Amino acid sequence: MSEKYCGGPNFEEYVVCPYDKVHRIMPTRLAYHLTRCAKNFPSSKMVRCPFNTTHLHSVTNMQLHVIDCPDRAALERYKLPDSMPPAEPRPCEFNIACSEDWDAEPPAPTYDPKKYCETELVIRNPQGAPPAARRQFRERERRRFLESQRF
């Protein structure tokens, strides 16, 4: 069976049944459908592919299909793993000499946002402090801003 996809809205993923061309089936349900549909067509001379049971062809076309079946390579790779090429190309393994060490820590010091805000002119807002502590904090901040502006 050549899996022909039918056109129309939302029919991209449906497969046409080899017994009845009107039947359109999801690929995941095809094996189940073929066993049920074969009972309705007992006189058809369809033969199942030895590599994939969802591939159905006439007796005359089966010999050509067995030669070109896409699932044949998986079976042969399973039977003869050393003589067949791998299914996926192996990634190239080569090392490039490099003087950089990406695992080493950078020479820059770490960033401390609290220390930065204390030294630079950044408006801060104390969260969760009682009113008296917030008042003292705001007064300290005013003095700090005034002292830094004099220079």
Side-chain angles (χ1 to χ4, degrees):
M1 177 188 95
S2 65
E3 293 183 3
K4 294 181 181 175
Y5 294 98
C6 54
N10 298 327
F11 283 124
E12 306 85 39
E13 63 269 4
Y14 288 87
V15 178
V16 177
C17 173
Y19 290 111
D20 190 355
K21 303 299 179 197
V22 177
H23 295 170
R24 281 148 173 73
I25 310 106
M26 293 289 290
T28 56
R29 304 279 299 161
L30 184 62
Y32 177 74
H33 173 80
L34 290 177
T35 56
R36 304 259 337 246
C37 201
K39 294 175 186 176
N40 297 334
F41 297 91
S43 62
S44 71
K45 305 285 188 218
M46 301 293 263
V47 181
R48 292 187 185 268
C49 172
F51 307 113
N52 189 338
T53 58
T54 61
H55 295 172
L56 291 175
H57 291 282
S58 64
V59 177
T60 56
N61 291 338
M62 183 50 74
Q63 197 170 24
L64 294 172
H65 172 76
V66 167
I67 295 170
D68 296 332
C69 182
D71 295 322
R72 178 181 179 157
L75 179 69
E76 289 183 4
R77 192 171 287 106
Y78 175 75
K79 288 168 68 176
L80 305 168
D82 296 331
S83 63
M84 292 292 293
E88 297 177 0
R90 293 185 182 134
C92 297
E93 295 181 17
F94 58 91
N95 293 326
I96 298 174
C98 182
S99 61
E100 293 179 315
D101 184 11
W102 286 34
D103 295 327
E105 290 294 322
T110 58
Y111 174 70
D112 184 10
K114 190 174 184 179
K115 186 177 178 183
Y116 176 79
C117 289
E118 289 172 356
T119 58
E120 298 296 323
L121 295 176
V122 176
I123 299 173
R124 299 184 294 167
N125 186 8
Q127 299 291 323
R134 287 196 305 252
R135 208 173 303 119
Q136 289 174 354
F137 178 79
R138 283 194 300 269
E139 188 57 39
R140 280 195 312 266
E141 288 294 295
R142 275 191 206 102
R143 278 190 251 125
R144 185 173 68 92
F145 273 60
L146 289 172
E147 288 174 4
S148 63
Q149 290 179 356
R150 289 184 186 161
F151 296 110

